[in-house]
Amino acid sequence: MPASIRHIVSQKGEFGDKFMLPYDRIFPKKNGTVIQGTVVSVFPGKPGTSGGGTIELANGDVLDYDVLVLATGSTWEGPLAFHNQPTEDTTKEYIVRTRKQIKDAKSIVLVGGGSVGCEFSGEIRDEYPDKPVTIVHSSSLILSDVYPERFRRRVDKSIRERNVDIIYNDAIDDIPPFPALDAVRTRNGKHIPADLVLSARGGRPNTSFLNGTPLSSSLSDNGRVQIRPTFQLKQHDAIFAMGDITELPEQKTVKKANEHASYVAQNVLAFLDGKRKMKEYKQSGEVLAVVNGRRGGVTYLGILWGLVFGSWFTRLVKSGNLLIPLFNTEMGY
C-alpha cells in the first residue's frame, strides 16, 4: 500500500514485480493453504460458545473453521480503487489507464487532504513539476485532527513549498469523468481550473459482505466491526477481527495493523489451546510518515511530547524505498 501512489503516478524506477507479489511463499514451512475467492456469507457457531462455523464463497464452496479472523481491510475509490480489482490483469490495466490520465491532464484537483491526497500531490509534482495541482479538503487544516496542529502545519508548509494549492473548508461532491470540463465547481461555489479530478478520500471498511449475515449485529453504524480488547467479536468467541475494519478509536495505518496481528496471533493460539486468559490490546501512540515525493516529507511520532521530523528522516524511513523491502520480506521474497 505505501508504494501504490508512486506506482500509479510514475513509471520511473517502476517497482514492477516487487509491487505485486503472489501468496505462494506466505507459509514458509508449507503448513498452510491459500484459497483465492470472495466470501459472501459467514455462518458462525451459537453466540457465546467456543464452536467454529463455516464461510461461503462466491463460487459456492463452503469452508469450515475452528477460528475465523476477519482482516478484509478497506475499499477505495479513485486511483487507489485498483485494490478492488478482481485479477492481476485488470489491476495492471487500471493502473496504466490512471497513469495515462495523470500524464495527459493539463490541471489536476485532488479531493481530500488526508495522507493519500498529500502524497499524491508530491508524487505528481516529482513527475510533472509544472502541472497545476490543487487539494480540496473539507477541514480547516490538512490531515486529521487526531494529529497535533504543529505537525499538520508542517505538512501544509511542505506541500505549499512545492507549488501545490490547498483549499480548506470546502468539498467536491461529484467526481467528473476524465476529461472533465475546463473547471470543476466546489460545494461552496468556487471554480477551479482542472480537467482531471481524482478522489483521494480515505478508505472505507470492507465489511459489506457481513450485511444480512448473523454477524451484521457486530457492525457499528459506520460499518466497522465491534470487538473486545482481545480482538474477539463481542458475541462470538471463535471470531477475531483486526486492521482497518475494527471499531477502535485510532487511525487506520499499516503500523496499527501489524500491531493487531501480533495480538491476534497470540490470542488465536491461546483460544485453540483452551486458555481463558488472553492478551488485551493496549494502543500505542500514533505514527505517520507523509511522503512528499522521493526526497521529502514530514513524520510524526506520538511519543514523549510528540516528535516531528522533516525530509531527511522521512526519506530515511519511507520516502526512498516506500517500505517495499520490509513488505517483500514479510511475503517471503
Side-chain angles (χ1 to χ4, degrees), residues 81-282:
F82 76 84
H83 285 281
N84 309 334
Q85 299 300 309
T87 68
E88 181 178 349
D89 288 340
T90 56
T91 297
K92 291 179 178 178
E93 290 169 2
Y94 191 95
I95 292 172
V96 170
R97 184 167 63 251
T98 304
R99 188 183 290 153
K100 187 175 187 304
Q101 290 177 353
I102 294 172
K103 178 181 179 180
D104 293 345
K106 298 176 181 177
S107 181
I108 299 173
V109 167
L110 298 167
V111 182
S115 59
V116 173
C118 295
E119 295 198 356
F120 257 117
S121 73
E123 299 300 337
I124 293 171
R125 183 55 71 236
D126 266 10
E127 189 75 2
Y128 307 103
D130 301 319
K131 187 167 295 192
V133 178
T134 302
I135 296 173
V136 179
H137 189 50
S138 59
S139 299
S140 59
L141 193 58
I142 214 78
L143 301 174
S144 165
D145 60 9
V146 167
Y147 302 104
E149 182 176 329
R150 60 191 178 87
F151 168 59
R152 298 164 71 193
R153 291 199 180 281
R154 183 83 172 268
V155 175
D156 174 287
K157 182 174 183 288
S158 171
I159 293 170
R160 292 184 188 275
E161 284 178 343
R162 302 199 69 189
N163 197 28
V164 172
D165 292 330
I166 306 175
I167 297 174
Y168 287 125
N169 299 312
D170 210 343
I172 295 175
D173 297 309
D174 299 313
I175 308 294
F178 177 77
L181 300 176
D182 293 336
V184 62
R185 186 175 184 271
T186 71
R187 185 182 297 170
N188 292 340
K190 185 178 180 64
H191 284 76
I192 309 171
D195 57 345
L196 177 61
V197 181
L198 298 175
S199 174
R201 300 184 181 110
R204 298 177 181 177
N206 183 20
T207 57
S208 60
F209 68 98
L210 297 177
N211 293 330
T213 75
L215 297 189
S216 60
S217 60
S218 297
L219 298 178
S220 64
D221 292 340
N222 62 8
R224 299 195 187 276
V225 182
Q226 302 175 71
I227 58 173
R228 301 176 230 170
T230 57
F231 289 94
Q232 292 167 292
L233 271 62
K234 292 184 176 180
Q235 292 183 319
H236 300 280
D237 293 348
I239 302 178
F240 295 74
M242 56 166 282
D244 288 7
I245 64 172
T246 54
E247 181 73 355
L248 288 172
E250 60 184 13
Q251 294 299 289
K252 309 306 178 185
T253 63
V254 172
K255 174 181 177 292
K256 296 294 184 180
N258 286 338
E259 292 173 356
H260 294 185
S262 176
Y263 280 86
V264 170
Q266 293 179 62
N267 287 346
V268 165
L269 293 177
F271 177 82
L272 291 173
D273 285 342
K275 298 177 181 177
R276 299 179 62 86
K277 182 68 173 177
M278 296 192 189
K279 191 173 182 180
E280 295 192 352
Y281 181 54
K282 293 181 175 59

